[in-house]
Amino acid sequence: MTVSEFLVVGGGVIGMMTTLQLADAGHSVTLVERGRCGQEASWAGGGIVSPLYPWRYGPAVSRLSRWSEGYYPELAQRLGEETGVDPEYRQRGLLYLRVEDEARALGWAREQGKRLERVDADFLYAREPEAAPGCREALWMPTLGSIRNPRLVRSLWTRLAAMPRVTLREEVEVTGFEVAGGRVLAVKTTRGDLAGGQVVVCGGAWAAGLLETVGVALPVRPVKGQMILFRAPPGLVQRVVLMDGRYVIPRADGRVLAGSTLEECGFDKTTDAQARESLWASATAIIPALADCEVEHHWAGLRPGSPDGVPFIGAVPGIDNLHVNAGHYRNGLVLAPASTRLLVDRLLGREPILDPAPYALEGRLSKAR
């Protein structure tokens, strides 16, 4: 039986960042992934390094977001230098069009010390000439960044694969846990048992199913999101533009992502023509010139939805060496650096970066029947 100090279940961005931090601290880590690392929600999202409308979230999400946003430039630079894979972090700001709760947004910004300002049409169209015509004003968040998440997960995988204390076990599905005396003795997989001194479940939308095998009902569910990708000329869109809950995100090569849907349909990842048409309509309303661009790709991913959007981060009650980091809903990539650092701090007995209480499982879950 393979034994590591830590065994991380789930190879998305949460699992990979957890593994990286533990290995950086000198510990041996086995990372187990049912498919290929980073190919589920971490790959499928848009890569905006902020909640879409951050003022609509409570302080628990805001604290994680703020810490993570400040850390992403350093992380992207490090991974690019160490792996040769540039995650393409870009900090070009975000333009909000047609914000209904503008007063609330500006009030939140003042309280948080966050740069957010009302700008006029001249400012808007000087920065995004192809934006929806006829807007008299917009909200402008100049500090917002975005990252090309498929490249981020590739750079994380490349770094982990080169670390001698990390063992990557891909295409190995976890089927359950052997528990005795209030501890996980073994992690059962389709390719034999594995063991670790501490076990961390970072299974995203699949985390609830994993914990159900030990009688714990984690209220995390899959929420499908569909997106489309336009092949556009470089420079058509310069920065993230958000309108009516939908957004466009430019990439360095000119491609433009548009998203996304919110669908409650279990673990179904199929795409459909109705969603494609809806996304196309939203994207071309935000940037009308996209109507002349080819839709190159259409895909879906499964977000790990939680009741209030606040992730579950911490020890599983009743099982001494089992921990979880899941339930980030639409903000997994946004919150990943802070949420993984918070759990790793707890695992290693360090002073946590934030108060862990709002994310703890105690009082937020119930035993499965």
Side-chain angles (χ1 to χ4, degrees), residues 16 23 37 58 61 79 104 125 128 148 199 218 264-265 366:
M16 286 196 285
C37 286
V61 170
L79 290 172
R104 180 182 178 186
Y125 294 111
E128 288 297 333
R148 194 164 186 168
V199 178
L218 187 74
E264 301 274 358
C265 51
S366 61

mmCIF file with all atom_site columns, all heavy atoms in Angstrom, residues 16 23 37 58 61 79 104 125 128 148 199 218 264-265 366:
data_model
loop_
_atom_site.group_PDB
_atom_site.id
_atom_site.type_symbol
_atom_site.label_atom_id
_atom_site.label_alt_id
_atom_site.label_comp_id
_atom_site.label_asym_id
_atom_site.label_entity_id
_atom_site.label_seq_id
_atom_site.pdbx_PDB_ins_code
_atom_site.Cartn_x
_atom_site.Cartn_y
_atom_site.Cartn_z
_atom_site.occupancy
_atom_site.B_iso_or_equiv
_atom_site.pdbx_formal_charge
_atom_site.auth_seq_id
_atom_site.auth_comp_id
_atom_site.auth_asym_id
_atom_site.auth_atom_id
_atom_site.pdbx_PDB_model_num
ATOM 1   N N   . MET A 1 16  ? -4.745  20.592 -6.663  1.00 0.00 ? 16  MET A N   1
ATOM 2   C CA  . MET A 1 16  ? -3.366  20.819 -7.091  1.00 0.00 ? 16  MET A CA  1
ATOM 3   C C   . MET A 1 16  ? -2.683  21.900 -6.269  1.00 0.00 ? 16  MET A C   1
ATOM 4   O O   . MET A 1 16  ? -1.501  21.780 -5.923  1.00 0.00 ? 16  MET A O   1
ATOM 5   C CB  . MET A 1 16  ? -3.326  21.143 -8.584  1.00 0.00 ? 16  MET A CB  1
ATOM 6   C CG  . MET A 1 16  ? -3.569  19.921 -9.456  1.00 0.00 ? 16  MET A CG  1
ATOM 7   S SD  . MET A 1 16  ? -3.090  20.149 -11.195 1.00 0.00 ? 16  MET A SD  1
ATOM 8   C CE  . MET A 1 16  ? -4.428  21.187 -11.766 1.00 0.00 ? 16  MET A CE  1
ATOM 9   N N   . ALA A 1 23  ? 3.750   20.196 -0.518  1.00 0.00 ? 23  ALA A N   1
ATOM 10  C CA  . ALA A 1 23  ? 5.070   19.772 -1.002  1.00 0.00 ? 23  ALA A CA  1
ATOM 11  C C   . ALA A 1 23  ? 6.093   20.886 -0.808  1.00 0.00 ? 23  ALA A C   1
ATOM 12  O O   . ALA A 1 23  ? 7.251   20.623 -0.459  1.00 0.00 ? 23  ALA A O   1
ATOM 13  C CB  . ALA A 1 23  ? 4.978   19.365 -2.464  1.00 0.00 ? 23  ALA A CB  1
ATOM 14  N N   . CYS A 1 37  ? -5.909  15.479 -14.301 1.00 0.00 ? 37  CYS A N   1
ATOM 15  C CA  . CYS A 1 37  ? -5.907  16.641 -13.418 1.00 0.00 ? 37  CYS A CA  1
ATOM 16  C C   . CYS A 1 37  ? -6.334  17.914 -14.162 1.00 0.00 ? 37  CYS A C   1
ATOM 17  O O   . CYS A 1 37  ? -5.876  18.165 -15.287 1.00 0.00 ? 37  CYS A O   1
ATOM 18  C CB  . CYS A 1 37  ? -4.517  16.849 -12.817 1.00 0.00 ? 37  CYS A CB  1
ATOM 19  S SG  . CYS A 1 37  ? -4.081  15.657 -11.527 1.00 0.00 ? 37  CYS A SG  1
ATOM 20  N N   . GLY A 1 58  ? -21.409 37.650 0.887   1.00 0.00 ? 58  GLY A N   1
ATOM 21  C CA  . GLY A 1 58  ? -21.146 37.972 2.276   1.00 0.00 ? 58  GLY A CA  1
ATOM 22  C C   . GLY A 1 58  ? -19.660 38.075 2.562   1.00 0.00 ? 58  GLY A C   1
ATOM 23  O O   . GLY A 1 58  ? -18.809 37.793 1.706   1.00 0.00 ? 58  GLY A O   1
ATOM 24  N N   . VAL A 1 61  ? -17.008 35.028 1.774   1.00 0.00 ? 61  VAL A N   1
ATOM 25  C CA  . VAL A 1 61  ? -16.486 34.904 0.409   1.00 0.00 ? 61  VAL A CA  1
ATOM 26  C C   . VAL A 1 61  ? -15.577 36.084 0.084   1.00 0.00 ? 61  VAL A C   1
ATOM 27  O O   . VAL A 1 61  ? -14.518 35.917 -0.540  1.00 0.00 ? 61  VAL A O   1
ATOM 28  C CB  . VAL A 1 61  ? -17.648 34.799 -0.598  1.00 0.00 ? 61  VAL A CB  1
ATOM 29  C CG1 . VAL A 1 61  ? -17.135 34.919 -2.038  1.00 0.00 ? 61  VAL A CG1 1
ATOM 30  C CG2 . VAL A 1 61  ? -18.395 33.483 -0.423  1.00 0.00 ? 61  VAL A CG2 1
ATOM 31  N N   . LEU A 1 79  ? 4.811   30.141 -11.449 1.00 0.00 ? 79  LEU A N   1
ATOM 32  C CA  . LEU A 1 79  ? 4.556   28.971 -12.273 1.00 0.00 ? 79  LEU A CA  1
ATOM 33  C C   . LEU A 1 79  ? 5.131   29.142 -13.676 1.00 0.00 ? 79  LEU A C   1
ATOM 34  O O   . LEU A 1 79  ? 5.671   28.195 -14.264 1.00 0.00 ? 79  LEU A O   1
ATOM 35  C CB  . LEU A 1 79  ? 3.059   28.692 -12.341 1.00 0.00 ? 79  LEU A CB  1
ATOM 36  C CG  . LEU A 1 79  ? 2.421   28.193 -11.036 1.00 0.00 ? 79  LEU A CG  1
ATOM 37  C CD1 . LEU A 1 79  ? 0.904   28.132 -11.180 1.00 0.00 ? 79  LEU A CD1 1
ATOM 38  C CD2 . LEU A 1 79  ? 2.969   26.824 -10.648 1.00 0.00 ? 79  LEU A CD2 1
ATOM 39  N N   . ARG A 1 104 ? -25.471 50.051 -4.129  1.00 0.00 ? 104 ARG A N   1
ATOM 40  C CA  . ARG A 1 104 ? -24.938 48.993 -3.255  1.00 0.00 ? 104 ARG A CA  1
ATOM 41  C C   . ARG A 1 104 ? -23.499 48.659 -3.624  1.00 0.00 ? 104 ARG A C   1
ATOM 42  O O   . ARG A 1 104 ? -22.651 48.468 -2.754  1.00 0.00 ? 104 ARG A O   1
ATOM 43  C CB  . ARG A 1 104 ? -25.817 47.751 -3.364  1.00 0.00 ? 104 ARG A CB  1
ATOM 44  C CG  . ARG A 1 104 ? -25.361 46.584 -2.513  1.00 0.00 ? 104 ARG A CG  1
ATOM 45  C CD  . ARG A 1 104 ? -26.268 45.380 -2.737  1.00 0.00 ? 104 ARG A CD  1
ATOM 46  N NE  . ARG A 1 104 ? -25.832 44.220 -1.977  1.00 0.00 ? 104 ARG A NE  1
ATOM 47  C CZ  . ARG A 1 104 ? -26.387 43.019 -2.079  1.00 0.00 ? 104 ARG A CZ  1
ATOM 48  N NH1 . ARG A 1 104 ? -27.425 42.833 -2.898  1.00 0.00 ? 104 ARG A NH1 1
ATOM 49  N NH2 . ARG A 1 104 ? -25.925 42.006 -1.373  1.00 0.00 ? 104 ARG A NH2 1
ATOM 50  N N   . TYR A 1 125 ? -16.146 53.889 -23.949 1.00 0.00 ? 125 TYR A N   1
ATOM 51  C CA  . TYR A 1 125 ? -15.870 53.561 -25.343 1.00 0.00 ? 125 TYR A CA  1
ATOM 52  C C   . TYR A 1 125 ? -14.427 53.846 -25.739 1.00 0.00 ? 125 TYR A C   1
ATOM 53  O O   . TYR A 1 125 ? -13.945 53.312 -26.750 1.00 0.00 ? 125 TYR A O   1
ATOM 54  C CB  . TYR A 1 125 ? -16.862 54.270 -26.255 1.00 0.00 ? 125 TYR A CB  1
ATOM 55  C CG  . TYR A 1 125 ? -18.272 53.755 -26.046 1.00 0.00 ? 125 TYR A CG  1
ATOM 56  C CD1 . TYR A 1 125 ? -19.248 54.557 -25.470 1.00 0.00 ? 125 TYR A CD1 1
ATOM 57  C CD2 . TYR A 1 125 ? -18.590 52.440 -26.375 1.00 0.00 ? 125 TYR A CD2 1
ATOM 58  C CE1 . TYR A 1 125 ? -20.538 54.067 -25.249 1.00 0.00 ? 125 TYR A CE1 1
ATOM 59  C CE2 . TYR A 1 125 ? -19.875 51.947 -26.156 1.00 0.00 ? 125 TYR A CE2 1
ATOM 60  C CZ  . TYR A 1 125 ? -20.841 52.760 -25.590 1.00 0.00 ? 125 TYR A CZ  1
ATOM 61  O OH  . TYR A 1 125 ? -22.107 52.273 -25.358 1.00 0.00 ? 125 TYR A OH  1
ATOM 62  N N   . GLU A 1 128 ? -13.237 50.316 -24.527 1.00 0.00 ? 128 GLU A N   1
ATOM 63  C CA  . GLU A 1 128 ? -13.860 49.212 -25.270 1.00 0.00 ? 128 GLU A CA  1
ATOM 64  C C   . GLU A 1 128 ? -14.721 49.786 -26.385 1.00 0.00 ? 128 GLU A C   1
ATOM 65  O O   . GLU A 1 128 ? -15.940 49.918 -26.250 1.00 0.00 ? 128 GLU A O   1
ATOM 66  C CB  . GLU A 1 128 ? -14.696 48.330 -24.333 1.00 0.00 ? 128 GLU A CB  1
ATOM 67  C CG  . GLU A 1 128 ? -13.884 47.481 -23.385 1.00 0.00 ? 128 GLU A CG  1
ATOM 68  C CD  . GLU A 1 128 ? -13.007 46.459 -24.113 1.00 0.00 ? 128 GLU A CD  1
ATOM 69  O OE1 . GLU A 1 128 ? -13.355 46.031 -25.237 1.00 0.00 ? 128 GLU A OE1 1
ATOM 70  O OE2 . GLU A 1 128 ? -11.958 46.097 -23.542 1.00 0.00 ? 128 GLU A OE2 1
ATOM 71  N N   . ARG A 1 148 ? -5.810  32.542 -17.650 1.00 0.00 ? 148 ARG A N   1
ATOM 72  C CA  . ARG A 1 148 ? -6.256  31.554 -18.635 1.00 0.00 ? 148 ARG A CA  1
ATOM 73  C C   . ARG A 1 148 ? -6.232  30.186 -17.963 1.00 0.00 ? 148 ARG A C   1
ATOM 74  O O   . ARG A 1 148 ? -5.203  29.518 -17.915 1.00 0.00 ? 148 ARG A O   1
ATOM 75  C CB  . ARG A 1 148 ? -5.359  31.597 -19.879 1.00 0.00 ? 148 ARG A CB  1
ATOM 76  C CG  . ARG A 1 148 ? -5.941  30.864 -21.073 1.00 0.00 ? 148 ARG A CG  1
ATOM 77  C CD  . ARG A 1 148 ? -5.232  31.265 -22.353 1.00 0.00 ? 148 ARG A CD  1
ATOM 78  N NE  . ARG A 1 148 ? -5.859  30.685 -23.522 1.00 0.00 ? 148 ARG A NE  1
ATOM 79  C CZ  . ARG A 1 148 ? -5.591  31.048 -24.773 1.00 0.00 ? 148 ARG A CZ  1
ATOM 80  N NH1 . ARG A 1 148 ? -4.723  32.017 -25.007 1.00 0.00 ? 148 ARG A NH1 1
ATOM 81  N NH2 . ARG A 1 148 ? -6.192  30.471 -25.784 1.00 0.00 ? 148 ARG A NH2 1
ATOM 82  N N   . VAL A 1 199 ? -5.919  12.872 5.115   1.00 0.00 ? 199 VAL A N   1
ATOM 83  C CA  . VAL A 1 199 ? -6.628  12.758 3.836   1.00 0.00 ? 199 VAL A CA  1
ATOM 84  C C   . VAL A 1 199 ? -7.442  14.028 3.614   1.00 0.00 ? 199 VAL A C   1
ATOM 85  O O   . VAL A 1 199 ? -8.181  14.465 4.503   1.00 0.00 ? 199 VAL A O   1
ATOM 86  C CB  . VAL A 1 199 ? -7.550  11.525 3.825   1.00 0.00 ? 199 VAL A CB  1
ATOM 87  C CG1 . VAL A 1 199 ? -8.315  11.449 2.505   1.00 0.00 ? 199 VAL A CG1 1
ATOM 88  C CG2 . VAL A 1 199 ? -6.738  10.248 4.057   1.00 0.00 ? 199 VAL A CG2 1
ATOM 89  N N   . LEU A 1 218 ? -22.661 16.069 2.934   1.00 0.00 ? 218 LEU A N   1
ATOM 90  C CA  . LEU A 1 218 ? -22.130 17.381 2.583   1.00 0.00 ? 218 LEU A CA  1
ATOM 91  C C   . LEU A 1 218 ? -23.067 18.013 1.559   1.00 0.00 ? 218 LEU A C   1
ATOM 92  O O   . LEU A 1 218 ? -23.270 17.452 0.479   1.00 0.00 ? 218 LEU A O   1
ATOM 93  C CB  . LEU A 1 218 ? -20.720 17.241 1.998   1.00 0.00 ? 218 LEU A CB  1
ATOM 94  C CG  . LEU A 1 218 ? -19.958 18.527 1.727   1.00 0.00 ? 218 LEU A CG  1
ATOM 95  C CD1 . LEU A 1 218 ? -19.475 19.141 3.037   1.00 0.00 ? 218 LEU A CD1 1
ATOM 96  C CD2 . LEU A 1 218 ? -18.769 18.264 0.789   1.00 0.00 ? 218 LEU A CD2 1
ATOM 97  N N   . GLU A 1 264 ? -29.466 23.271 -13.102 1.00 0.00 ? 264 GLU A N   1
ATOM 98  C CA  . GLU A 1 264 ? -29.562 22.204 -12.097 1.00 0.00 ? 264 GLU A CA  1
ATOM 99  C C   . GLU A 1 264 ? -30.017 20.934 -12.804 1.00 0.00 ? 264 GLU A C   1
ATOM 100 O O   . GLU A 1 264 ? -31.196 20.707 -13.023 1.00 0.00 ? 264 GLU A O   1
ATOM 101 C CB  . GLU A 1 264 ? -30.568 22.596 -11.008 1.00 0.00 ? 264 GLU A CB  1
ATOM 102 C CG  . GLU A 1 264 ? -30.239 23.886 -10.278 1.00 0.00 ? 264 GLU A CG  1
ATOM 103 C CD  . GLU A 1 264 ? -29.278 23.678 -9.106  1.00 0.00 ? 264 GLU A CD  1
ATOM 104 O OE1 . GLU A 1 264 ? -28.905 22.519 -8.841  1.00 0.00 ? 264 GLU A OE1 1
ATOM 105 O OE2 . GLU A 1 264 ? -28.925 24.684 -8.458  1.00 0.00 ? 264 GLU A OE2 1
ATOM 106 N N   . CYS A 1 265 ? -29.060 20.110 -13.195 1.00 0.00 ? 265 CYS A N   1
ATOM 107 C CA  . CYS A 1 265 ? -29.405 18.886 -13.929 1.00 0.00 ? 265 CYS A CA  1
ATOM 108 C C   . CYS A 1 265 ? -28.473 17.732 -13.578 1.00 0.00 ? 265 CYS A C   1
ATOM 109 O O   . CYS A 1 265 ? -28.129 16.918 -14.428 1.00 0.00 ? 265 CYS A O   1
ATOM 110 C CB  . CYS A 1 265 ? -29.414 19.138 -15.434 1.00 0.00 ? 265 CYS A CB  1
ATOM 111 S SG  . CYS A 1 265 ? -27.928 19.926 -16.075 1.00 0.00 ? 265 CYS A SG  1
ATOM 112 N N   . SER A 1 366 ? -24.975 17.671 8.131   1.00 0.00 ? 366 SER A N   1
ATOM 113 C CA  . SER A 1 366 ? -25.650 16.682 8.980   1.00 0.00 ? 366 SER A CA  1
ATOM 114 C C   . SER A 1 366 ? -25.225 15.288 8.567   1.00 0.00 ? 366 SER A C   1
ATOM 115 O O   . SER A 1 366 ? -24.726 15.072 7.461   1.00 0.00 ? 366 SER A O   1
ATOM 116 C CB  . SER A 1 366 ? -27.167 16.822 8.839   1.00 0.00 ? 366 SER A CB  1
ATOM 117 O OG  . SER A 1 366 ? -27.552 16.595 7.495   1.00 0.00 ? 366 SER A OG  1
#
